[in-house]
Amino acid sequence: MEGFEVTKGATNDISVLYLKGYLDAHTAPELENALQKLMDEQNYKIVVNFSELNYISSAGLGVFMGFIEDIRKNGGDIKLSSMKPKIFRVFDLLGFPTLYDILDDEEKAVDKFTKS
Amino acid sequence: MVNKLPKTQKKYQLKIPSQSDNLALIRELIAKVASQVGFDDEEANKIELAVDEACTNVIKHAYNHNSNQIIDVLVKTDTKKITVIVSDKGLGFNPDKVKTPDLNESIKAGKKGGLGICLMRTLMDKVYFQIKPGQKNQVTMIKYIN
């Protein structure tokens, strides 16, 4: 069965969420909970690593839309990294690259925080 | 299921409870049928996603997460195209009022939805709706093989 996992890591003061599997309307609440937990802990600098994500629907993209404004108001950001081409295509179709930083790999996404 | 169709035409139907944990099964069916007809992986992924979006709309909006209701997914194929018809008997909406959302505005408003129909229209060659709330709402999506 197609599942979904989100695990948490950190690099200095930057939280990293690793997504694995299939992100759709059924599994999006798990990501929502993980982001809400980071917000509750006042961790506003977040990198999301998509390297093991195989599928995303608009329900998954919607999670990032719902949180980004609050996170940016608190001086943070969500930077997205390591997407497979088919995942990037969905973000691209909906115009996300103009409003979100989408980086090739996690290191570049972390650097974007430390160098900005 | 095949009903007296020419050998090049096939028809599959899935009637499934309106639950989000069934989306994976629906996607699996669509991906397999699309690949059998001759769509490459990239095009099959697009069809899979468009159908996921249509079914997600039914689960969330037409049936308001009532899992006792049924989603009807009918897939028809021939040598030139795949046609997917998703039907429900739930709440309807006016498709003419669904505009492409301004992502920037949606984000500022903390809105996290409204992208599904826009994606369906982008991913498929033809998308049209027939809405009769409570009786039968239907979205028909067609993609041609290049």
Side-chain angles (χ1 to χ4, degrees):
Chain A
M1 199 62 192
E2 299 176 345
F4 174 71
E5 265 176 49
V6 50
T7 49
K8 199 185 136 189
T11 305
N12 299 323
D13 63 335
I14 298 161
S15 302
V16 185
L17 293 180
Y18 296 90
L19 310 188
K20 185 176 178 181
Y22 296 77
L23 181 53
D24 62 8
H26 186 60
T27 57
E30 284 180 54
L31 175 60
E32 216 159 33
N33 292 341
L35 280 167
Q36 187 59 56
K37 195 156 181 273
L38 290 178
M39 294 270 291
D40 294 345
E41 294 162 355
Q42 299 187 327
N43 291 318
Y44 300 118
K45 291 181 180 177
I46 301 163
V47 168
V48 182
N49 183 325
F50 286 75
S51 63
E52 290 190 78
L53 195 77
N54 290 318
Y55 178 84
I56 191 162
S57 71
S58 72
L61 274 72
V63 177
F64 298 104
M65 291 167 67
F67 281 96
I68 194 74
E69 193 68 4
D70 277 348
I71 286 176
R72 285 179 180 160
K73 273 183 193 157
N74 283 288
D77 199 9
I78 303 177
K79 303 204 187 287
L80 314 174
S81 85
S82 324
M83 290 178 188
K84 291 177 180 164
K86 66 175 177 180
I87 302 291
F88 177 76
R89 233 173 356 248
V90 184
F91 279 89
D92 195 32
L93 275 175
L94 292 170
F96 274 64
T98 56
L99 295 164
Y100 292 77
D101 284 324
I102 303 179
L103 290 308
D104 294 344
D105 59 53
E106 185 185 318
E107 201 182 332
K108 283 184 190 161
V110 170
D111 281 355
K112 196 94 181 168
F113 275 117
T114 51
K115 288 174 184 167
S116 62
Chain B
M1 141 190 356
V2 182
N3 295 330
K4 290 181 186 171
L5 292 168
K7 274 185 182 171
T8 52
Q9 294 180 28
K10 285 184 179 169
K11 203 168 158 184
Y12 310 81
Q13 191 163 25
L14 187 61
K15 291 187 179 190
I16 196 162
S18 179
Q19 294 166 204
S20 61
D21 58 351
N22 283 329
L23 288 169
L25 187 63
I26 296 168
R27 289 198 302 268
E28 204 174 318
L29 168 76
I30 298 297
K32 280 192 179 152
V33 174
S35 124
Q36 270 175 20
V37 184
F39 286 98
D40 63 22
D41 280 355
E42 187 175 336
E43 294 300 287
N45 285 338
K46 288 180 183 173
I47 302 163
E48 209 182 319
L49 178 55
V51 177
D52 176 320
E53 297 295 342
C55 294
T56 298
N57 281 347
V58 172
I59 294 166
K60 284 188 180 175
H61 305 299
Y63 289 142
N64 200 14
H65 297 280
N66 179 353
S67 58
N68 293 323
Q69 302 289 346
I70 298 291
I71 308 176
D72 185 338
V73 182
L74 177 64
V75 187
K76 294 191 277 187
T77 63
D78 58 38
T79 53
K80 291 179 183 165
K81 63 182 185 301
I82 185 168
T83 304
V84 185
I85 302 167
V86 176
S87 312
D88 68 77
K89 292 179 179 172
L91 302 171
F93 68 103
N94 183 351
D96 296 335
K97 287 195 172 168
V98 181
K99 304 288 177 207
T100 305
D102 179 324
L103 196 58
N104 198 19
E105 292 299 315
S106 298
I107 284 172
K108 279 184 186 156
K111 212 180 152 197
K112 52 182 186 176
L115 302 174
I117 290 177
C118 168
L119 258 184
M120 286 154 59
R121 286 178 170 148
T122 311
L123 296 165
M124 301 296 280
D125 293 323
K126 284 185 189 165
V127 175
Y128 52 91
F129 296 89
Q130 288 161 289
I131 305 295
K132 288 181 191 165
Q135 296 175 38
K136 193 176 194 181
N137 306 309
Q138 189 165 289
V139 56
T140 303
M141 295 170 279
I142 300 172
K143 194 156 189 80
Y144 296 93
I145 299 170
N146 288 327

